[in-house]
Amino acid sequence: MQVSINDLKYVPTVFLRTAEMQALEQLSNAEKDSIIPLIPIKPWANSNHLVNSLRRVERALPNRRFFIDIDRYYLRASERPAWSEFQALRSSTDNFLNWRNFADESEFAIPCIQIFGSQADVIGAQIAWADQNNKPFALRIEQRFPCDRAAVLAAFGSIEHSNYIIVLDAGWSRDVLSSQLWASGWITALNNLHNDAKIVVSASSFPDQFMPYGQFGTENLQERPFYNALRGTHNTARLIYGDWASSRPHGNDSGGPGYSRVDLPVANSWVFFRSDAIGGDFQPLAAQARNSAYWDGDLNNWGKYFIDNTASGTGFTINSAQQAAAARINIHLNQQISQGLGVAIGDVPEDYED
């Protein structure tokens, strides 16, 4: 049975991209049941209609709930109807009627209330809609896309139940810790109104440049220290760990073929094995990862199987940067789910498929 929003330990933000959906889809059932991920919605692949974005998430998480919000980083205009439908979600007309109708397209989607550019009455009307329809909801406050703080707090203060979560998203940065003051101010203000509010603290520090690492490197993830620092400052607040599942926003991905890379997430860092030439083979990189001191040999998730198969040259193997990213994200999710629960999970009775 999937975890309730009252018992969440980890809320990953997972972008609607091929690697991320493959990584999510290949989690074990126990792992899927332990999280309710937040999915920023955009047009899916070459689909003509935006509703296919919901169908893709439902395929990755069968019969499980997920939070949805508008992907404000996605700016790739197209002639497809999905693009105009996506643009329409941003309309505040009738208290974001388009967004609310879209959220109703899936019985599993838990909507984020649209606060970007909204006044208190518009936010309050959306909350009232969710309450009238017995929907849980989320309020996602993004540092990258500032909202009207007074309006959000006014609407938040009027909530009379606990069927919601707050998401404080510090966004992507190589210096996530510098966002502590921003997040701490929000936590104080929110807890002054509801001291039992469930607040997800989320960010991403996954690197965007790998040349400085050469053919091998390690990087400590900053999301845990960020969360732990806020945990120490606000020790009575109901804080929940969140991150971006080791990804970056749209627009920070390099284009064209690059230096092949296999990434191995461990508990508090990422380890990079990188080729010395553009378009290099993934097999020797996977073998380096498997033979390294960072490989614990516990093949309990799909991402590790993917790397192990690649190292051996058997079964389904990594042949693209997208597949390498899927392996990394799957392992990262497994690591962070296990940390949140305090036990390693992910033993795999299911057969893995490519």
Side-chain angles (χ1 to χ4, degrees):
M1 178 179 294
Q2 190 179 23
V3 66
S4 77
I5 65 171
N6 287 319
D7 298 318
L8 283 168
K9 304 294 185 186
Y10 174 42
V11 178
T13 295
V14 182
F15 285 89
L16 191 59
R17 295 180 291 211
T18 300
E20 278 87 340
M21 287 299 104
Q22 187 177 25
L24 197 60
E25 191 167 8
Q26 297 290 355
L27 290 175
S28 69
N29 287 326
E31 289 169 317
K32 292 178 183 178
D33 284 341
S34 69
I35 58 174
I36 302 179
L38 193 158
I39 314 292
I41 292 294
K42 69 170 188 63
W44 168 250
N46 293 319
S47 291
N48 276 330
H49 293 288
L50 195 61
V51 71
N52 290 326
S53 300
L54 291 175
R55 301 290 95 86
R56 182 61 186 91
V57 181
E58 290 171 345
R59 195 177 96 195
L61 298 168
N63 300 313
R64 293 176 177 87
R65 296 175 302 168
F66 49 90
F67 298 104
I68 58 170
D69 197 3
I70 297 172
D71 187 342
R72 272 172 275 278
Y73 292 93
Y74 187 75
L75 301 172
R76 297 176 189 170
S78 77
E79 298 297 322
R80 288 180 289 134
W83 171 253
S84 58
E85 293 166 2
F86 174 65
Q87 291 294 87
L89 299 182
R90 302 169 186 266
S91 170
S92 61
T93 300
D94 198 7
N95 304 316
F96 286 91
L97 179 61
N98 292 336
W99 170 249
R100 292 187 284 123
N101 286 341
F102 179 77
D104 279 338
E105 292 284 349
S106 172
E107 64 177 295
F108 303 104
I110 303 174
C112 286
I113 301 298
Q114 294 306 306
I115 63 173
F116 183 62
S118 296
Q119 294 303 303
D121 60 332
V122 175
I123 299 171
Q126 294 177 76
I127 292 172
W129 160 76
D131 291 347
Q132 289 162 8
N133 291 279
N134 198 29
K135 284 179 179 288
F137 60 85
L139 281 172
R140 184 179 179 219
I141 301 166
E142 299 175 88
Q143 187 176 26
R144 173 67 177 76
F145 302 98
C147 59
D148 185 325
R149 181 186 177 96
V152 170
L153 292 176
F156 173 71
S158 68
I159 298 174
E160 297 179 344
H161 57 79
S162 60
N163 199 22
Y164 67 90
I165 64 167
I166 304 291
V167 179
L168 292 180
D169 190 342
W172 178 86
S173 172
R174 288 297 301 133
D175 182 17
V176 167
L177 297 177
S178 66
S179 296
Q180 282 183 47
L181 187 62
W182 171 83
S184 185
W186 270 108
I187 293 169
T188 298
L190 293 165
N191 276 163
N192 283 342
L193 295 168
H194 292 297
N195 60 11
D196 60 345
K198 301 175 288 291
I199 304 173
V200 178
V201 177
S202 187
S204 171
S205 66
F206 191 74
D208 62 340
Q209 300 290 330
F210 294 90
M211 188 66 77
Y213 300 111
Q215 292 178 251
F216 171 81
T218 65
E219 189 65 57
N220 291 333
L221 58 87
Q222 298 181 30
E223 292 85 335
R224 280 284 172 190
F226 178 58
Y227 167 81
N228 290 336
L230 292 167
R231 173 81 274 169
T233 303
H234 303 275
N235 54 16
T236 61
R238 294 183 62 182
L239 301 187
I240 301 167
Y241 178 71
D243 64 25
W244 286 19
S246 75
S247 69
R248 301 186 301 272
H250 301 284
N252 283 351
D253 299 321
S254 58
Y259 290 80
S260 299
R261 203 181 72 246
V262 168
D263 304 330
L264 182 61
V266 292
N268 295 304
S269 61
W270 299 292
V271 186
F272 311 118
F273 302 88
R274 187 168 172 270
S275 69
D276 59 357
I278 290 176
D281 190 357
F282 288 90
Q283 190 277 332
L285 304 175
Q288 290 174 39
R290 188 181 63 179
N291 297 331
S292 73
Y294 298 95
W295 186 267
D296 64 11
D298 183 11
L299 298 178
N300 62 357
N301 62 66
W302 174 84
K304 278 190 175 179
Y305 275 101
F306 209 2
I307 294 175
D308 191 51
N309 278 0
T310 305
S312 303
T314 58
F316 61 100
T317 59
I318 297 172
N319 294 301
S320 69
Q322 192 176 71
Q323 291 176 331
R328 178 191 75 236
I329 294 167
N330 180 268
I331 299 170
H332 177 93
L333 289 169
N334 172 269
Q335 292 278 354
Q336 300 308 319
I337 290 170
S338 296
Q339 283 202 56
L341 296 177
V343 295
I345 66 170
D347 291 335
V348 285
E350 304 93 351
D351 292 331
Y352 283 138
E353 297 178 356
D354 189 0

